[in-house]
């Protein structure tokens, strides 16, 4: 990111307006202010990368919660459809296993995405350092 062309170095504070302890430490304060300005952009970039990572993690959790809801819907549908006729244990077991397979796949996808997210965040972090 380009720095503005009107940027100028910090001007020293006038020593007559400073308290004695501040005037003594003025060179250190001056150095700290210069370093702060130089170091702000990488810090902002790291914070943005972190916020993007958190946003992606939240999106993945929402997708997983949706998969949980769909699995519960499948199980409920299996148990509630044709309530008047009794269901065999095998039918209920098959229905449950299908719902759990979908949930298992969603969990596997979730782990893969989280691993990739962690690697992407580390890459961005190292680029800024």
């Amino acid at each position: 990111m380009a720095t503005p062309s009107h940027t100028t170095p910090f001007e020293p504070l006038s020593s007559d307006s400073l308290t004695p302890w501040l005037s003594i430490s003025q060179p250190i304060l001056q150095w700290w202010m210069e370093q702060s300005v130089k170091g702000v952009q990488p810090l902002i970039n790291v914070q943005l990368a972190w916020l993007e990572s958190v946003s992606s993690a939240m999106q993945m959790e929402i997708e997983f919660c949706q998969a949980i809801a769909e699995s519960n819907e499948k199980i409920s549908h299996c148990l509630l459809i044709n309530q008047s006729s009794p269901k065999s244990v095998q039918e209920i077991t098959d229905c449950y296993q299908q719902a759990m397979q979908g949930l298992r796949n969603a969990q596997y996808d979730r782990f893969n995405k989280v691993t990739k997210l962690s690697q992407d965040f580390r890459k961005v972090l190292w680029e800024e350092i």
Side-chain angles (χ1 to χ4, degrees):
M1 185 165 222
T3 55
S5 60
H6 66 281
T7 305
T8 59
F10 286 102
E11 296 297 324
L13 300 170
S14 66
S15 30
D16 23 332
S17 66
L18 301 174
T19 60
W21 66 268
L22 192 55
S23 63
I24 291 171
S25 61
Q26 192 217 6
I28 294 172
L29 290 173
Q30 187 71 29
W31 175 83
W32 181 79
M33 291 172 70
E34 289 172 3
Q35 297 306 314
S36 295
V37 170
K38 291 178 187 176
V40 168
Q41 189 61 41
L43 183 60
I44 290 172
N45 290 344
V46 168
Q47 188 172 14
L48 284 174
W50 180 78
L51 288 172
E52 289 173 3
S53 179
V54 168
S55 175
S56 296
M58 290 175 67
Q59 180 65 34
M60 285 184 261
E61 289 303 308
I62 289 170
E63 290 171 3
F64 184 66
C65 287
Q66 183 178 0
I68 291 171
E70 290 172 0
S71 175
N72 285 336
E73 183 180 357
K74 286 178 185 177
I75 291 172
S76 297
H77 183 70
C78 287
L79 295 175
L80 297 177
I81 200 162
N82 295 330
Q83 288 180 337
S84 59
S85 64
K87 298 205 182 328
S88 70
V89 173
Q90 186 60 41
E91 288 176 330
I92 294 173
T93 302
D94 290 342
C95 187
Y96 180 78
Q97 286 178 348
Q98 288 174 0
M100 288 302 105
Q101 182 64 37
L103 196 56
R104 197 175 307 124
N105 291 340
Q107 178 72 345
Y108 181 74
D109 290 344
R110 178 182 178 212
F111 283 145
N112 285 335
K113 289 177 182 178
V114 167
T115 302
K116 185 180 180 317
L117 182 66
S118 176
Q119 292 169 350
D120 291 346
F121 178 69
R122 286 185 208 144
K123 181 180 175 185
V124 170
L125 187 62
W126 278 110
E127 287 175 359
E128 286 305 318
I129 292 176

